[in-house]
Amino acid sequence: QVQLVESGGGSVQAGGSLNLSCAASRYTFCMGWFRQAPGKEREGVAKGYPGGTWYADSVKGRFTISQDNAKNTIDLQMNSLKPEDTAMYYCAGDRGARCVNNNGPTAFEYWGQGTQVTVSS
């Protein structure tokens, strides 16, 4: 089992920045961030694994992940936030390599409890 603990999030005005952090209780090959807005499906935001990263088109150039495999952590720096970024954000992890070719939630076995991000216009 892997426990994921998230921190950060909150409310910010459009154009602002927030940083989310996630710590895993043990090594995970792949870590990522997903988000889910009310009435919408959970969608991938960004992920990282040894030798690779991926960002959703909607966040490219605005969001950046920083992954520390030695500490089993992943941060999500979110800049130039937009109201459409409002959602519950979830940290995800997997000890296998399914995520390399799969950006969806089925590639991840372990999930954090979620942290709310609200961007006002």
Side-chain angles (χ1 to χ4, degrees):
Q1 279 285 354
V2 177
Q3 283 75 46
L4 299 172
V5 179
E6 301 138 336
S7 60
S11 298
V12 66
Q13 289 190 327
S17 298
L18 286 172
N19 186 76
L20 305 182
S21 296
C22 176
S25 59
R26 58 186 302 190
Y27 174 77
T28 55
F29 179 85
C30 193
M31 296 186 77
W33 289 95
F34 286 75
R35 66 186 181 187
Q36 188 166 20
K40 294 188 177 181
E41 293 186 352
R42 189 169 297 192
E43 62 174 359
V45 175
K47 68 181 181 185
Y49 52 88
T53 57
W54 170 87
Y55 295 90
D57 288 343
S58 59
V59 306
K60 282 181 181 176
R62 300 189 298 122
F63 291 12
T64 304
I65 56 171
S66 299
Q67 189 174 8
D68 188 330
N69 291 113
K71 297 181 178 179
N72 302 325
T73 61
I74 185 169
D75 288 355
L76 180 67
Q77 177 63 40
M78 305 183 291
N79 298 327
S80 302
L81 282 162
K82 305 175 181 180
E84 50 263 45
D85 293 318
T86 295
M88 186 71 78
Y89 283 69
Y90 296 90
C91 178
D94 198 85
R95 292 176 57 78
R98 295 181 295 174
C99 71
V100 173
N101 296 310
N102 184 352
N103 298 327
T106 59
F108 294 84
E109 182 173 1
Y110 304 105
W111 293 85
Q113 77 283 0
T115 185
Q116 179 68 36
V117 171
T118 302
V119 184
S120 58
S121 57

